[in-house]
Amino acid sequence: MQNIRLDIQYDGSRYLGWQRPEKDGLHRSVSYKLNEVLNRMTGEEIHLCAGARTDPGVHALAQTVSFQTEAPLSPEGFLRGLSLYLPQDITVLGAQHAPDRFRADLNALSRTYEYRICTSEIYDVFHMRYESHCFPSPDLQAMGQAASFLKGRHDFRCFSSGRKKRGTEKEILDISFIQEPDRIAICITANDFLHQMPLLISGALLKIGCGFKDPKYIQDIFDGTEKAGPPAEAKGLLLKSIQY
């Protein structure tokens, strides 16, 4: 039995997230496409473990996946086969042997998402699949003040559209902002994320940056006097890295 680690990236535009139940569109998930090829290559039913479960329409610059197999293929063999048979919007960056106890989901220490926004008056057609649009540029100072309410350990159930009642306490380790000509990015690092949590946080920060709410809006959401939403557009969100 060998334990294989894959580092992959994908354009999430046409997928219903990393993984979906069969009744909700299993065949249109990234994991299904990867499983389909691996099952064919190994003759086994492969169980994939992923460092992050991206939501529908969300992209990944660096997703980490692990699986166990008895197939005699080398990591290089897996890399060649996957590169040949996967659709063009899913790419395997690398394959390697991992320690027996390594699991991409359980061993992750933190995940970083980046939300990208075009702030130019004219929306760049060649970037619009991977960033949202906001003109004029939002107030980063107000967004930074709001971010201070989010950092640390909180119950983030109010920043999730899922029905999970347990395990909703997460820790945001850092929120930073990158400003470039005609573009900004919101970078969020946490030990873990709930369903739609990065999109709802990004949406709330943008609402503050655009002047529709003041920075206290974040605390009001935690207190239950306001609701988070709507989420930011999924196409602007990328899973940037997973730390182990």
Side-chain angles (χ1 to χ4, degrees), residues 24-132:
D24 292 337
L26 168 71
H27 293 71
R28 290 180 58 200
S29 66
V30 178
S31 61
Y32 178 84
K33 298 296 184 184
L34 190 56
N35 258 129
E36 194 176 36
V37 177
L38 286 172
N39 291 349
R40 192 187 317 154
M41 290 175 66
T42 63
E44 304 168 357
E45 285 291 328
I46 296 296
H47 173 69
L48 297 176
C49 301
R53 292 193 173 193
T54 53
D55 292 320
V58 175
H59 317 291
L61 290 175
Q63 169 75 283
T64 304
V65 180
S66 65
F67 64 92
Q68 293 188 328
T69 177
E70 294 182 348
L73 286 166
S74 66
E76 293 75 18
F78 279 111
L79 182 59
R80 285 194 298 271
L82 289 166
S83 298
L84 184 62
Y85 294 113
L86 281 172
Q88 292 185 342
D89 50 10
I90 304 174
T91 297
V92 180
L93 303 173
Q96 58 185 291
H97 283 119
D100 291 342
R101 292 181 175 274
F102 176 79
R103 275 189 48 164
D105 53 348
L106 300 181
N107 295 122
L109 300 176
S110 62
R111 292 92 171 157
T112 298
Y113 281 92
E114 182 173 290
Y115 195 79
R116 297 180 175 179
I117 305 129
C118 171
T119 57
S120 170
E121 184 175 5
I122 300 173
Y123 203 175
D124 186 342
V125 69
F126 294 106
H127 290 90
M128 64 188 300
R129 283 169 61 93
Y130 307 106
E131 58 188 22
S132 66

Side-chain angles (χ1 to χ4, degrees), residues 113 115 117 134 137-151 159 172 174-177 184-188 197-219 221-222 228-232:
Y113 281 92
Y115 195 79
I117 305 129
C134 182
S137 182
D139 183 348
L140 289 187
Q141 184 174 356
M143 292 167 70
Q145 292 174 15
S148 65
F149 292 106
L150 289 160
K151 292 179 184 178
F159 282 98
I172 289 187
D174 186 54
I175 300 180
S176 60
F177 302 91
I184 63 170
I186 305 168
C187 296
I188 310 170
M197 180 175 155
L199 289 172
L200 284 164
I201 287 175
S202 297
L205 290 174
L206 281 171
K207 192 179 288 188
I208 292 162
C210 292
F212 298 115
K213 297 286 184 179
D214 62 36
K216 187 178 173 291
Y217 174 55
I218 299 297
Q219 191 59 56
I221 295 172
F222 281 126

Side-chain angles (χ1 to χ4, degrees), residues 180-196:
E180 299 174 352
D182 296 330
R183 278 179 182 80
I184 63 170
I186 305 168
C187 296
I188 310 170
T189 300
N191 64 341
D192 200 3
F193 289 87
L194 300 170
H195 179 60
Q196 283 211 316

